[in-house]
């Protein structure tokens, strides 16, 4: 009888822990922070898309560059980002950054005052940044172009 009551206590304790964990997860998803995060992300995605609307810099590439996959979207700490990765022409990064900086400048983007390699454009009071990043660990020397609300 003692063994049965001991097992029953352990089962009830386990069920209680699982119920607590599920309740906490549900509360976190339904909390104002959870809804606020989604709302802020969507607003920031709208700003990024508005900055790219006149000319989508993510779809432009130097002659010979090969897109790797389709554009990706992410939102971390309320900052939205849209990016696309490419294999540079002839595997060389020469001229890639200059290509994008000139193209961005022709479409209203300005060099960031603290980081001239990063371009910035204001959309409805939100700063959207555009930059080109070469992956130092890539054996193919891939690069990613990103438009985001992350500061440069």
């Amino acid at each position: 009888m003692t063994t049965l009551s001991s097992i029953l206590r352990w089962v009830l304790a386990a069920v209680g822990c699982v119920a607590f964990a599920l309740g906490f997860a549900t509360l976190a998803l339904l909390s104002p922070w959870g809804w606020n995060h989604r709302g802020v992300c969507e607003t920031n995605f709208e700003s990024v898309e508005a900055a790219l609307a006149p000319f989508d810099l993510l779809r432009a590439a130097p002659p010979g560059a090969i897109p790797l996959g389709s554009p990706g979207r992410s939102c971390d700490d309320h900052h939205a980002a849209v990016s696309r990765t490419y294999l540079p022409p002839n595997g060389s990064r020469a001229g890639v950054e200059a290509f994008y900086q000139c193209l961005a400048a022709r479409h209203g983007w300005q060099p960031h005052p603290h980081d001239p390699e990063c371009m910035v454009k204001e959309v409805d009071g939100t700063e959207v940044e555009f930059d080109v990043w070469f992956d130092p660990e890539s054996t193919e020397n891939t690069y990613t172009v990103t438009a985001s609300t992350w500061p440069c």
Side-chain angles (χ1 to χ4, degrees):
M1 199 57 141
T2 306
T3 306
L4 184 59
S5 65
S6 178
I7 292 172
L8 185 58
R9 265 187 266 148
W10 279 105
V11 169
L12 288 175
V15 169
C17 287
V18 169
F20 176 79
L22 289 175
F24 186 78
T26 302
L27 181 62
L29 288 174
L30 298 177
S31 72
W33 181 87
W35 287 114
N36 185 35
H37 176 72
R38 283 189 287 278
V40 170
C41 286
E42 285 307 312
T43 299
N44 285 337
F45 275 124
E46 290 171 8
S47 295
V48 170
E49 289 165 1
L52 294 172
F55 185 84
D56 189 348
L57 294 168
L58 302 182
R59 296 198 183 276
I66 301 168
L68 302 175
S70 52
R73 289 170 48 121
S74 64
C75 189
D76 296 318
D77 295 334
H78 299 311
H79 292 285
V82 180
S83 60
R84 189 158 199 190
T85 301
Y86 290 88
L87 184 62
N90 302 321
S92 170
R93 67 187 290 170
V96 170
E97 290 169 331
F99 170 85
Y100 284 104
Q101 287 175 341
C102 290
L103 190 60
R106 283 198 311 263
H107 293 282
W109 297 75
Q110 302 293 319
H112 191 278
H114 303 295
D115 183 358
E117 291 180 3
C118 181
M119 304 293 280
V120 65
K121 188 175 195 180
E122 188 172 319
V123 177
D124 297 327
T126 301
E127 269 195 358
V128 178
E129 283 78 17
F130 177 80
D131 69 343
V132 178
W133 178 75
F134 279 84
D135 183 355
E137 296 180 15
S138 170
T139 58
E140 298 175 331
N141 207 22
T142 59
Y143 70 93
T144 302
V145 290
T146 303
S148 73
T149 58
W150 278 101
C152 290

